[in-house]
Structure formats: structure tokens, C-alpha cells
């Protein structure tokens, strides 16, 4: 009986001695496998975060480029050409403002091209939202507007009037729709990144409002000066705008005086 008990104990010890190393090896392999999975998950998580951050940065850069093109340089070019049309024809001021108009618009086209190329290369362009559709149409219109500007007829030709009308209407539409598309871009950026765009929306609104006020004030600048608001004068000078419209009698009919300072906003459309 004692010999049998010792034999059983010996068999059990021998069994554990032979099985235990394999058990430890299996446990180490499982631990290494788990650690490997953790490292892979951490690397994948870091890569996803990096890609997300890079995508957000690319979208922001794309937005600022198009903001500078459509929301700043193009409106400045419009203000410059309006100032050139109101200046004395052939004067130094008129030429400087005209060349500023050309420079602003060309730089605007360059920036718009950079923004479009960046969108095609880095973003998904399924054109399933208003921002992408407007952007595609705007870029085509910008290229067309630049093409029309290069083929400007000389003054005095009849076709110049039609050219001016088309160039003016297309430029106004492009600038207006471009401003709208900047707002849609801010909305798209918020949806993509979940970041607030309230600050940039306010900044852009203030900028557009300021440019719009200058645009409206350009039409009234000369008339306002004649009213003595900017350049003060005596009662005689304040009535100077009526000096050429003294009532006259023709065929026994009296002509009523008309204020000469009130200039139509489109008065120089076909100059």
C-alpha cells in the first residue's frame, strides 16, 4: 500500500514536470499576442488621428485660399475698376486703379486655381453637396471672365458696349455667388470636423459689409462733396450744382431745374 501511494505521487510529479513548461510557453505566447494587438491598435488609432488632423488642416487651408480669392481680392478688384471709371479718363489715377483691378483679378484667378487643384487632389469630390457644385461652376465662370477680360475691345467701337455689359454682369454674379459659396464652405467645414465656425462667419460678414458700404459710397462720393458734407463751403458753393440748370423758357414753356449732382449708378456703364 505504501509502495502504491509513492508510485502514484511519483507519476503525478512526473506529469506536472512534463506539462508545466508547455503551459508556461502557451501563456507567454498569449501575452505576446495580446501586446501585439494592443500595439497595433495604438498605431492604428494614432494614424487615424493624424489623418483626421491632416484632413482638417487641408480643408482649412483650402478655405482660406478661396476666401482670399473670392471673398477679398475679387471684391477689391471691382472697387478698383469702379474708381477708375469715375476718375478722369486718361489720368494717372485712372490708370493706376485699372492696373490694380487687373492685378487683383489675376491673383484671384491664380488662388482659385490653387484651391481647385487642392480640392481635386486631397478631397473626395462626389459633388453631392451645394458647396462642391457651386465651386465647380464658379471656377468655370472665373476662367471665362478672365478670358473675356483679355479680349477687351478698344474704346469707340460699338462692340465695346456689349463687351462691357457682359463683363460687368458676369463679374458681379461671380463675386456675389463666390461670397455665398464661402458661407456654404464654412457650413461644410463644421459638418466635417464638428468645429465651430461662428467666429469666422462673423469676421467674413463684417468684411463683406464693409466692402458693400464702400461699393455703395462710391456712387455718392461726388454728389456728397457737392452737398458740402465732405468739403464745406458757403451757401453759394452749396448751390453750385444748380448753376447750369437755371429755369429757361422755350416756346413759352418753363423748364424746371434738375439737380446736376444726382448721378445714376449706371451712368458710366458704356463709357
Amino acid at each position: 500500500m505504501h509502495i502504491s501511494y509513492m508510485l502514484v505521487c511519483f507519476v503525478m510529479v512526473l506529469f506536472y514536470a512534463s506539462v508545466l513548461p508547455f503551459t508556461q510557453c502557451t501563456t507567454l505566447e498569449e501575452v505576446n499576442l495580446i501586446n501585439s494587438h494592443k500595439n497595433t491598435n495604438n498605431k492604428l488609432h494614432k494614424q487615424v488621428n493624424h489623418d483626421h488632423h491632416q484632413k482638417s488642416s487641408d480643408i482649412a487651408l483650402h478655405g482660406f485660399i478661396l476666401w482670399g480669392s473670392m471673398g477679398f481680392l475679387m471684391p477689391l478688384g471691382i472697387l478698383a475698376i469702379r474708381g477708375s471709371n469715375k476718375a478722369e479718363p486718361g489720368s494717372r489715377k485712372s490708370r493706376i486703379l485699372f492696373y490694380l483691378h487687373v492685378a487683383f483679378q489675376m491673383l484671384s484667378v491664380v488662388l482659385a486655381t490653387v484651391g481647385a487643384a487642392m480640392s481635386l487632389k486631397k478631397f473626395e469630390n462626389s459633388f453631392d453637396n451645394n458647396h462642391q457644385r457651386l465651386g465647380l461652376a464658379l471656377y468655370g465662370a472665373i476662367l471665362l471672365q478672365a478670358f473675356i477680360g483679355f479680349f477687351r475691345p478698344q474704346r469707340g467701337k460699338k462692340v465695346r458696349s456689349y463687351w462691357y455689359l457682359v463683363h460687368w454682369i458676369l463679374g458681379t454674379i461671380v463675386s456675389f455667388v463666390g461670397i455665398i459659396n464661402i458661407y456654404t464652405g464654412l457650413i461644410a467645414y463644421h459638418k466635417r470636423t464638428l468645429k465651430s465656425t461662428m467666429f469666422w462667419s462673423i469676421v467674413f460678414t463684417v468684411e463683406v459689409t464693409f466692402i458693400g458700404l464702400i461699393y455703395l459710397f462710391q456712387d455718392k462720393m461726388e454728389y456728397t462733396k457737392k452737398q458740402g458734407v465732405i468739403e464745406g463751403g458757403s451757401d453759394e458753393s452749396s448751390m453750385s450744382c444748380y448753376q447750369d440748370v437755371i429755369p429757361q423758357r422755350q416756346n413759352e414753356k418753363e423748364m424746371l431745374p434738375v439737380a446736376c449732382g444726382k448721378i445714376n449708378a449706371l451712368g458710366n456703364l458704356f463709357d
Side-chain angles (χ1 to χ4, degrees):
M1 181 69 181
H2 180 70
I3 296 175
S4 301
Y5 177 76
M6 291 182 61
L7 182 60
V8 171
C9 291
F10 177 75
V11 171
M12 291 180 63
V13 170
L14 184 62
F15 173 78
Y16 281 113
S18 60
V19 173
L20 185 60
F22 294 101
T23 306
Q24 291 177 347
C25 291
T26 304
T27 304
L28 289 175
E29 290 178 358
E30 292 178 353
V31 171
N32 292 333
L33 184 61
I34 293 173
N35 291 333
S36 177
H37 282 302
K38 288 183 178 179
N39 292 333
T40 302
N41 291 335
N42 289 335
K43 290 181 180 180
L44 183 61
H45 183 69
K46 290 180 180 179
Q47 184 65 34
V48 170
N49 289 338
H50 178 268
D51 292 343
H52 180 74
H53 178 73
Q54 184 65 39
K55 181 72 71 175
S56 298
S57 300
D58 291 340
I59 295 174
L61 180 60
H62 168 81
F64 279 119
I65 290 175
L66 272 300
W67 183 329
S69 172
M70 306 295 299
F72 184 70
L73 289 174
M74 189 167 290
L76 284 185
I78 293 176
L79 295 180
I81 197 62
R82 281 168 61 83
S84 175
N85 291 336
K86 294 180 181 298
E88 183 180 353
S91 64
R92 182 181 180 184
K93 178 182 179 181
S94 176
R95 292 196 302 271
I96 291 176
L97 289 174
F98 172 77
Y99 288 125
L100 281 176
H101 166 77
V102 175
F104 286 147
Q105 301 306 79
M106 291 304 300
L107 186 55
S108 174
V109 172
V110 171
L111 289 180
T113 302
V114 173
M118 185 177 182
S119 176
L120 292 175
K121 182 178 180 180
K122 293 182 175 294
F123 307 143
E124 297 177 359
N125 295 283
S126 57
F127 299 103
D128 57 351
N129 59 72
N130 293 331
H131 178 69
Q132 291 180 343
R133 295 181 188 128
L134 280 178
L136 180 62
L138 273 172
Y139 186 66
I142 289 173
L143 295 180
L144 177 62
Q145 177 74 341
F147 181 79
I148 293 174
F150 276 118
F151 293 92
R152 182 172 61 119
Q154 295 181 352
R155 289 183 181 272
K157 293 186 177 181
K158 185 177 181 180
V159 69
R160 169 72 179 234
S161 299
Y162 302 108
W163 172 89
Y164 190 97
L165 183 62
V166 172
H167 191 61
W168 171 65
I169 291 176
L170 183 59
T172 303
I173 292 175
V174 167
S175 183
F176 181 72
V177 177
I179 290 173
I180 293 177
N181 207 35
I182 291 175
Y183 282 111
T184 63
L186 290 170
I187 295 173
Y189 178 78
H190 171 68
K191 290 181 178 179
R192 177 70 69 87
T193 63
L194 300 180
K195 295 181 180 180
S196 175
T197 57
M198 180 63 69
F199 172 77
W200 297 112
S201 298
I202 293 174
V203 171
F204 185 63
T205 301
V206 172
E207 177 203 321
V208 171
T209 302
F210 183 72
I211 293 176
L213 290 176
I214 296 178
Y215 182 91
L216 296 175
F217 191 66
Q218 281 181 314
D219 280 337
K220 301 300 179 181
M221 176 72 76
E222 184 178 352
Y223 180 69
T224 304
K225 287 182 178 180
K226 290 181 179 181
Q227 300 305 306
V229 175
I230 296 180
E231 296 180 1
S234 59
D235 294 340
E236 181 179 355
S237 62
S238 64
M239 295 296 294
S240 61
C241 64
Y242 294 96
Q243 62 184 1
D244 294 330
V245 287
I246 299 175
Q248 300 177 358
R249 288 182 177 275
Q250 185 177 4
N251 297 330
E252 297 182 354
K253 292 183 179 181
E254 186 175 2
M255 304 292 294
L256 296 177
V258 180
C260 64
K262 190 73 172 180
I263 301 177
N264 194 307
L266 300 179
N268 60 353
L269 179 60
F270 302 109
D271 289 345

